[in-house]
Amino acid sequence: MKLVTFLQGGAERIGAVMPDGRILDFAAAEPRLAVDMLTLIRRQDELMPLARSLASAPPPAALLDAAAVHLLAPIPRPVSMRDGYAFRQHVATARRNRGLDMIPEFDLFPVTYFTNHLAVTGPGEVHVQDHHLTRLDFELEVAVVTGRPLKNATLEEADAAIFGYTIMNDWSARMLQMEEMKLSLGPCKGKDFATSLGPWLVTKDELDLEKSPKGELLHARMTCTVNGHQLSDGNADSMNWTFAQILQRTSYGIQMHPGEVIGSGTVGTGCLLELNGSKVTDNLWLKAGDEVVLEVAGLGRLVNTIT
């Protein structure tokens, strides 16, 4: 299913995208499913069969024109949000562009950092401050949302705990990021102002997933265009660390909960920092009014405008 959170008549609702593009409003169907996305995920064993039943025979009165609703992030208030560093091409290229060798620790274990789960946006405008616009960057990523508790997970348990996938744009204010990273505590103000998710949360049964000894791999082309010009082109299956491996590491010694978001990190060619350093682009950074479109096969198109 392609699950969405949207505003209808000023109220936040959840639903599903139908094959014809219309939105099924779960709260307007019978029996009513008037919950938020986090509740649906937490109570998935009880509520997802009802959601699937509604989607299989949607009542016409509960179907909405997609143009008539305002999509929010599919999970607007995740329990937590981490971002990873799973694509070797991005890491190696970004380091080489700074005159640095590839860091050998990359191959030892996957890493993540916490980002601001209270600054999640969906499709549409992304509001930034003046200092963010000094070297403002997009980052083309995919993310998973957990649907089961995890602690000290095996790879199999980690894969089984993934509820679904979505597109993630990890907006980055590079001037602020470079300043604060000198203090060796990780990114904060360069990252905490916005992370965009959407347009949908896609359940695993709809995706091209391949089982491997390292965990499931998503086969999905990933592209980014800025103002209609394609800049990025990669594939989710080039992740050097799978989401199962990331979740296994993340759950070591801690209790993880349903509704946590974990990003993949940036795909190769997936940000201006990398493209500028490789001379693909010439000191290009985002500015107010720019339209950024991230597209991932099976996950849709996440369209944002810098404001």
Side-chain angles (χ1 to χ4, degrees):
M1 295 183 74
K2 296 180 176 70
L3 298 166
V4 291
T5 299
F6 61 95
L7 287 179
Q8 173 68 4
E12 183 179 306
R13 306 206 183 195
I14 65 169
V17 182
M18 295 291 95
D20 64 3
R22 288 185 292 175
I23 304 294
L24 170 62
D25 182 355
F26 287 156
E30 290 294 340
R32 296 176 71 244
L33 188 53
V35 297
D36 61 16
M37 191 67 72
L38 191 53
T39 300
L40 180 68
I41 293 169
R42 286 170 169 162
R43 296 168 55 190
Q44 62 175 292
D45 292 336
E46 168 194 358
L47 298 181
M48 280 300 291
L50 175 57
R52 293 185 187 281
S53 176
L54 292 173
S56 68
L63 292 172
L64 304 172
D65 187 336
V69 303
H70 174 66
L71 288 183
L72 304 175
I75 180 166
R77 292 170 295 279
V79 171
S80 76
M81 189 157 54
R82 296 173 176 86
D83 200 10
Y85 209 39
F87 291 94
R88 170 182 279 276
Q89 180 183 343
H90 168 70
V91 178
T93 303
R95 290 182 66 83
R96 184 175 67 248
N97 291 344
R98 302 198 305 272
L100 302 173
D101 293 332
M102 181 57 182
I103 187 167
E105 286 79 6
F106 177 88
D107 296 310
L108 299 181
F109 47 83
V111 293
T112 61
Y113 69 91
F114 278 106
T115 191
N116 189 357
H117 68 294
L118 299 178
V120 172
T121 81
E125 293 184 343
V126 175
H127 295 271
V128 300
Q129 302 290 113
D130 288 342
H131 285 310
H132 298 136
L133 285 169
T134 305
R135 301 182 184 177
L136 180 63
D137 204 352
F138 67 87
E139 294 200 55
L140 172 57
E141 309 190 19
V142 294
V144 296
V145 179
T146 56
R148 306 283 182 190
L150 282 176
K151 185 174 183 179
N152 298 325
T154 65
L155 294 179
E156 293 76 16
E157 290 168 339
D159 272 330
I162 295 173
F163 179 84
Y165 285 71
T166 191
I167 302 173
M168 178 171 173
N169 193 331
D170 173 33
W171 303 101
S172 299
R174 297 299 189 187
M175 182 194 71
L176 294 175
Q177 181 187 3
M178 297 307 174
E179 286 180 344
E180 65 191 1
M181 290 295 284
K182 295 175 183 176
L183 296 171
S184 301
L185 278 182
C188 180
K189 297 311 298 177
K191 298 279 192 176
D192 73 351
F193 57 97
T195 303
S196 296
L197 303 174
W200 317 310
L201 176 58
V202 184
T203 54
K204 291 171 60 177
D205 55 295
E206 290 212 7
L207 298 172
D208 184 10
L209 293 167
E210 176 190 353
K211 292 189 179 297
S212 81
K214 300 193 304 179
E216 292 174 344
L217 288 172
L218 173 65
H219 296 289
R221 187 184 179 194
M222 305 170 63
T223 61
C224 174
T225 63
V226 176
N227 300 328
H229 300 287
Q230 183 174 312
L231 298 178
S232 306
D233 194 348
N235 199 297
D237 60 16
S238 62
M239 290 175 67
N240 294 84
W241 294 105
T242 66
F243 278 113
Q245 290 173 310
I246 295 170
L247 286 169
Q248 182 183 50
R249 172 77 177 186
T250 303
S251 70
Y252 177 73
I254 67 162
Q255 182 67 59
M256 297 188 68
H257 300 272
E260 300 197 41
V261 173
I262 298 91
S264 62
T266 308
V267 70
T269 75
C271 68
L272 292 172
L273 179 71
E274 182 183 337
L275 295 169
N276 286 332
S278 300
K279 308 304 181 185
V280 176
T281 49
D282 183 14
N283 199 32
L284 177 66
W285 303 103
L286 299 176
K287 59 185 184 301
D290 283 349
E291 181 186 72
V292 181
V293 180
L294 306 189
E295 186 165 3
V296 179
L299 301 182
R301 299 172 75 248
L302 177 58
V303 182
N304 294 108
T305 303
I306 305 299
T307 303

